[in-house]
Amino acid sequence: MENEFISPDFQKWEPLSHEVEVLGLLNAKNKNGNLMADSNTPTLVGEQIITETFNILSLCGQPSQTKFSETGLVIGYVQSGKTLSFTALTAMARDNEYQLIIVIAGISKNLIQQTTDRLKADLKIPSDERKWILIENPKNEDDFDRINSGLKQWNDHKFPRKDCQTVLVTVMKNASHLKNLGSILQRLDLTSTATIIIDDEGDQASLNTNSATAAREGVEIIGAQPSTIYKCITDIRSLLPHHTFLQYTATPQAPLFINILDRLSPNFIKMLTPGSDYTGGKTYFVDNPELIEIIPASDIVSDENELTSIPESLLKALRIFFIGVADGFSRHLDRGNNRTMMIHPSRTTGEQREYTNWVNDTINSWIRILDDNGTSDQEEFLQDFGRIHREMSNIVNDLTPFDDLVSGNFIDRAIRYTARIEVNASSGKTPNIHWSDRYSFILIGGQALDRGFTVEGLTVTYMPRNLGTGNVDTILQRARFFGYKRSYLKYCRLFLPEDVVNAYRQIVVHEEDVRSRLTEHNINDKHLDRWGRESVLSLMLNLTRRNVLYNDVIRQIFRSGKWFDIKWPHDTDTLISHNYQTLIRFLREREQDFVIDDGDSRRTQDQKNLIMRIPVKEVLELLLNHLKFTNASDSAKYTIIRSLLTNQSEIQDNLNCNLYLMSTTSINDWNPSIRSFDVKRGIRELFQGRNEATGYPGAREIAKPDDINIQIHLLNLRSRSINYDNVPTLAIQLPSSMQVDLVQQPTNHI
């Protein structure tokens, strides 16, 4: 039966929004005047950041409360500015007298260092005002003393509140570091400490990776043996009487589809709006497909295809990149900017080293050719680069003429002085990229270039990686090529295998579908336990890693022309009567709208039907949303069908459907059809068969092509041991325009 649980309203409050720290942050980030019109006046973009931050903080609990606990999910796009959002939240929390902010930042040393350095720079830590106590990976007595002294100020009524220091902790998403933090917090008096925990990349590592094991073993979620980092985080939360746990991510598939009884399942959702210069999946894979180059299978290393020399597609990618860099030099764009090429072959350092050697050998050979004037090799070199320049000119209309790039030594300079760095831990630690040292970089790596790693000025991406397990969140997090690139978008190129390109196109559809389904919850602060866990998702892809999902997801393939019928409409005795009365009420209200669809004059009475044309919104509101089917398979299917019809009716204002009452020409004299059933299969055959003698095509053919068709059948069901009378059931057929693959978790509810 449909869940009738209704969650209480969120405890919203009114934070101060345009205060010292928030405006100071926006002024610090005010590059080219895009955030602040003057030191006290935000631009529209700046105001949007403040508004979205205000909306998040208003759900985090008033700092003066003694107890508060909430879990929220903040969704951005990949490389769209999530760090700025949670930095703004940190600043606004400080303005509103939050005492403790914990940022769980990255699973590697370079990622936590990247986040810590940004917070220091953006919040101006340290400063003469001494507003912050920033501690990275607290672990010892000195760290305890610093945190304790900062929090004591807030509990001292003689100490001016404006001079109290907010404690800002950054901690690596690592068991030992989280345990160290927990040990320190355990010794503190946190009775009245208003806290926000920001989990950067909240879908990664934090979630319980033992969920699937617990499900297989039949262990209750609350009592299951949790994974280590998950337990560390939940232990820390248990020490904080007043806290909000905020998961920041661009790939929310895992947090949204874990069981809602899980301690890290979010209750509220907030979605971040990217700026107008943002270029994401739609920009590349829908609007500008000319920026995508397919890497042929022959250029991809595999067990069946061992490459002994640099692939031709990689040579093309290098030439495109160097022409773009040379053009930047010619326009003096190298001052304060970067241009980067990323080569992302695989997770294995051996393969990364092979690509590094290919790149180094190629570039070194080009440098030697450039040093030997007038040779045939140099002539061939210039011809190859000239051909790529002409190809690029079709997209970059004002590309600096090739002769000028050569005569001005800009191509020479680009090739000779671009830094080439292998980004992995093969040398003991992942190298830091000193972006201020050079204009141009070529980065070669695997996992280190995935999630959370910011690549400055990325223009050319060469990624000969296969889909692997096909997890949406994993594939999407590799898209370091998304970001604020509108001003130099025409210089960007993506080199990807064909199946990966197809996957990204499908992910764009999925990503926008998820956001559209969450819009109402985002705007109206609706509790997420009322969100139907379903989305459009191609069968070539999976939502996320299986080990974090306690409940199995259901894959539904909805194809045009196929009937989706309810097999167990008799599953619950009480609902047979409920569904029958619901149907009768609807028919009495719309009786005058039905007409006879009798077809061939030879048809018998039970081969004729009633039909009406009705708006989809009406049939949903008056009938479909009130009919209840409790069998797990039927319920899942029916929920998805209703969701599809709802979404389409919102997109198309005048969307109609054909509604048939089967085997009757009179609502008041509708004799149920007799059908047999069994426990395992449900109704053996719903549809009346074809009869050539009477010209009856069969019930499956009672439909209008390329339209939404809904048949209502009234049945008397018969089996050897039990009978059911007046049982309504449905069959629904969708048009090709609604053909879609869906993923759903129908059991994920309270």
Side-chain angles (χ1 to χ4, degrees), residues 318-319 321-323 325-326 329 359 362-368 370 381 385 409-420 438 440 442:
L318 287 167
R319 292 180 181 118
F321 173 66
F322 284 131
I323 289 173
V325 173
F329 279 134
V359 169
T362 297
I363 292 176
N364 290 337
S365 70
W366 285 348
I367 291 173
R368 288 193 297 272
L370 287 167
F381 168 89
F385 270 79
N409 291 319
F410 296 120
I411 289 181
D412 183 298
R413 182 178 170 188
I415 294 173
R416 200 178 295 270
Y417 294 105
T418 289
R420 304 162 240 158
R438 303 279 186 103
S440 53
I442 295 176

Side-chain angles (χ1 to χ4, degrees), residues 39 63 67 91 239 446 569 586 743:
S39 60
K67 291 185 178 181
L239 298 171
F586 168 75
V743 60

Side-chain angles (χ1 to χ4, degrees), residues 77-78 278-288 292 476 479 481-482 504-505 507-508 511-512:
Y77 287 97
V78 171
Y278 178 72
T279 55
K282 185 174 181 294
T283 304
Y284 288 100
F285 296 99
V286 178
D287 299 336
N288 297 278
I292 299 170
L476 199 51
F481 40 83
F482 294 168
Y504 275 113
R505 286 175 178 152
I507 287 172
V508 169
E511 188 176 30
E512 293 309 312

Side-chain angles (χ1 to χ4, degrees), residues 289-349:
E290 70 276 7
L291 302 181
I292 299 170
E293 301 266 356
I294 301 297
I295 302 175
S298 58
D299 281 5
I300 299 174
V301 176
S302 67
D303 292 340
E304 297 76 29
N305 188 45
E306 183 177 351
L307 299 182
T308 57
S309 61
I310 186 169
E312 188 60 39
S313 55
L314 179 52
L315 287 172
K316 181 177 183 179
L318 287 167
R319 292 180 181 118
I320 289 174
F321 173 66
F322 284 131
I323 289 173
V325 173
D327 185 78
F329 279 134
S330 73
R331 298 172 186 273
H332 307 293
L333 298 177
D334 54 309
R335 299 168 185 176
N337 297 304
N338 291 108
R339 289 290 180 268
T340 306
M341 177 177 180
M342 185 178 76
I343 302 174
H344 199 325
S346 76
R347 294 172 61 93
T348 66
T349 56

Side-chain angles (χ1 to χ4, degrees), residues 100 102 144 147 151 169 178 180-190 236-237 239-240:
L100 175 62
I102 299 170
F144 168 81
I147 296 173
L151 297 182
V169 173
L178 290 168
N180 289 337
L181 174 61
S183 297
I184 289 175
L185 294 177
Q186 197 168 25
R187 298 168 55 197
L188 296 166
D189 179 7
L190 301 169
I236 287 172
R237 294 187 67 181
L239 298 171
L240 298 162

Side-chain angles (χ1 to χ4, degrees), residues 199 202-211 227 229-230 233 247 254-255 258 262 264-265 545 548:
D199 186 4
D203 64 306
Q204 182 192 35
S206 307
L207 302 179
N208 186 7
T209 57
N210 287 342
S211 290
S227 54
I229 293 178
Y230 173 86
I233 290 174
Q247 302 159 312
I258 61 174
D262 192 292
L264 297 190
S265 177
R545 55 207 183 278
V548 301

Side-chain angles (χ1 to χ4, degrees), residues 86-87 90 99-105 112-127 130-138 142-144 146-147 149-150 165-171:
F86 70 68
T87 305
T90 300
Q99 295 114 4
L100 175 62
I101 312 293
I102 299 170
V103 180
I104 304 175
I112 186 177
Q113 194 61 55
Q114 176 180 272
T115 300
T116 304
D117 290 345
R118 287 181 182 175
L119 288 168
K120 284 181 180 178
D122 295 345
L123 297 174
K124 298 180 179 177
I125 304 172
S127 67
R130 295 191 177 94
K131 296 179 179 179
W132 303 91
I133 296 176
L134 173 60
I135 304 173
E136 180 181 342
N137 286 329
D142 180 58
D143 295 329
F144 168 81
R146 293 178 66 200
I147 296 173
S149 64
Q165 294 173 289
T166 296
V167 178
L168 176 57
V169 173
T170 59
V171 59

